[in-house]
Amino acid sequence: MSTPTAFVRDFREAAPYIDYLRGKTLVIGVASSLVSSAPLAALAADLNLLASLGVRLVLIHGSRKQINQLSADSGHTPEYHNGRRITDSATLALAKQACGMVRFDIEAALSVGVAHSPQ
């Protein structure tokens, strides 16, 4: 638990950054491993706070973990060349599905808003 003095100190340290970022666009990349329930809820709370302070956000998310899981679940074994996955039609369908699922989860987490975000 933070003391009132520590809170004021922390707020004063953050104030110049808040002022600098207000009205600016911040691009944030999120790894697919962070798009699971616990980390996503905390991330969404932080993003909602930034948005409430006037920061415009662009969120770029990964989906590798979800694509790999869907591939394993469907029994599809993707091919690789020089460490990169070759996107055939089956892999592309799984990638689209994974991206849709991740996007839905992110939108749902962001819809909670600042007032109901975890502490």
Side-chain angles (χ1 to χ4, degrees):
M1 196 77 168
S2 175
T3 66
T5 305
F7 173 79
V8 171
R9 183 193 70 236
D10 293 343
F11 186 76
R12 286 182 180 157
E13 288 177 6
Y17 298 102
I18 295 168
D19 185 53
Y20 173 76
L21 290 172
R22 182 175 290 119
K24 298 224 170 41
T25 301
L26 191 61
V27 179
I28 300 172
V30 179
S32 62
S33 60
L34 294 176
V35 189
S36 61
S37 58
L40 181 57
L43 176 64
D46 293 343
L47 294 174
N48 280 326
L49 178 60
L50 284 171
S52 74
L53 295 172
V55 179
R56 294 184 301 226
L57 300 172
V58 175
L59 188 63
I60 309 298
H61 65 81
S63 56
R64 179 178 304 190
K65 179 180 173 185
Q66 291 78 10
I67 294 169
N68 290 342
Q69 184 62 51
L70 286 173
S71 292
D73 292 347
S74 69
H76 176 69
T77 305
E79 294 183 42
Y80 289 86
H81 177 73
N82 292 335
R84 301 231 184 231
R85 183 182 2 240
I86 297 172
T87 306
D88 56 8
S89 60
T91 305
L92 181 59
L94 294 173
K96 288 178 180 180
Q97 183 181 357
C99 287
M101 291 175 359
V102 170
R103 178 180 173 189
F104 182 84
D105 290 346
I106 290 171
E107 288 177 358
L110 290 173
S111 71
V112 170
V114 174
H116 302 290
S117 60
Q119 301 298 325

